[in-house]
Amino acid sequence: MISVRNTRSDVIHAAGRLFAERGYHGTSMRDLGKELGLLGSSLYSHVESKQDLLVEVVEEGARLFEAVAEQARATPGTARDRLAALVAGHVNVVLDNVNVARTFLNEARMLDAEHRERIVEARDHYEGVFRSVLADGVGDGSFRSDIDPKTSSIYILSVLNALERWYDPAGPLDRDELIGDLTTFLITGIG
Amino acid sequence: MISVRNTRSDVIHAAGRLFAERGYHGTSMRDLGKELGLLGSSLYSHVESKQDLLVEVVEEGARLFEAVAEQARATPGTARDRLAALVAGHVNVVLDNVNVARTFLNEARMLDAEHRERIVEARDHYEGVFRSVLADGVGDGSFRSDIDPKTSSIYILSVLNALERWYDPAGPLDRDELIGDLTTFLITGIG
DNA sequence: CCTACCGATCGGTAGG
DNA sequence: CCTACCGATCGGTAGG
């Protein structure tokens, strides 16, 4: 009595899985059908096109990260507290939605021009939140006064986004240790 | 009198360009032919298969990074000096070979099992050099004694590898400034 | 490096 | 969600 019929949501999530594993162009509609136990052609009763699937997955990613930004901005306390919220929130999104995060980070460039632009804007906005938290933190003494908020936010996001590439939830480092270790690294460096 | 005939090296470099821009599966042999001013079928007088091209590009990447590791290991002085050599060397490889670096970082997973394993080993070895420099640096006082060389090396490589995604050689930040800013961030953090 | 192909697979549609 | 397709494109080959 397992799974009688697939929903649109099932299709989108399976697409996220395959796009994350094999890439958008490495995934055929027939591959995706097989993953769901149906034919490639049957997918078109759930979505209009393959591109449509990529749009859905990538935009889900954008929404998840945007929610992190909003929640962090609403966090009371110092800029350092808000940065901690950004870091923890970002880690949680990546670890709880690896496939969506992977597709968002690696396959968004395969989007058609129109959708790609919207995602670039969303990404810029998200990075802007990091930047302004860092700038605030320079003002309130949370961070060093000689950092450049622009490059620093990119460095921080580089470390956070790369999690998708190496973090193993079954490995020795649990989520809280990861967040702690990461935060220490970002704030104190290795020196 | 420009370019009469293409060499195997021309083909490989053009392949790197397209693999970097559109991904391995997003690039057809006919696309690549067009890039070089010939037909897709003509490429088979230079290479045996499309996979062959990916192997060549990715293995060139592996060699470039390996050379950085060797040179850094031979650098006299403290572990901090050797880390500086790794950082500068890695940055130079990425900035001087964006297409190769991109393909190495993003498309190696499209390799067939056999070649992929070799690349994973090469990558593990490279990361191991970072790890041992960090461990040495904990011993000689270059770095904090409470860092974990394993996660720290991953964080550092995360920042270095992400350069491919955002650094603009035509932007305001020149190479030396970048290396300096990056090094300060890695060693001192933002706090 | 081209001509002239090959079988396989691609995204997608009509109609049920 | 399936049957039965469609034209286009894919990686690749034989022979020059």
Side-chain angles (χ1 to χ4, degrees), chain A residues 31-42:
Chain A
D31 289 339
L32 180 54
K34 210 166 285 167
E35 184 83 0
L36 292 160
L38 44 81
L39 295 176
S41 58
S42 301

Side-chain angles (χ1 to χ4, degrees), chain B residues 43-88:
Chain B
L43 295 166
Y44 291 90
S45 55
H46 292 105
V47 289
E48 285 195 330
S49 65
K50 188 186 173 186
Q51 180 76 207
D52 194 26
L53 280 168
L54 182 58
V55 169
E56 292 288 358
V57 178
V58 171
E59 292 195 336
E60 191 189 336
R63 281 192 298 273
L64 290 169
F65 286 120
E66 192 46 41
V68 169
E70 277 174 41
Q71 188 227 33
R73 277 160 52 101
T75 298
T78 63
R80 206 170 175 129
D81 297 321
R82 286 197 291 287
L83 180 65
L86 283 174
V87 170

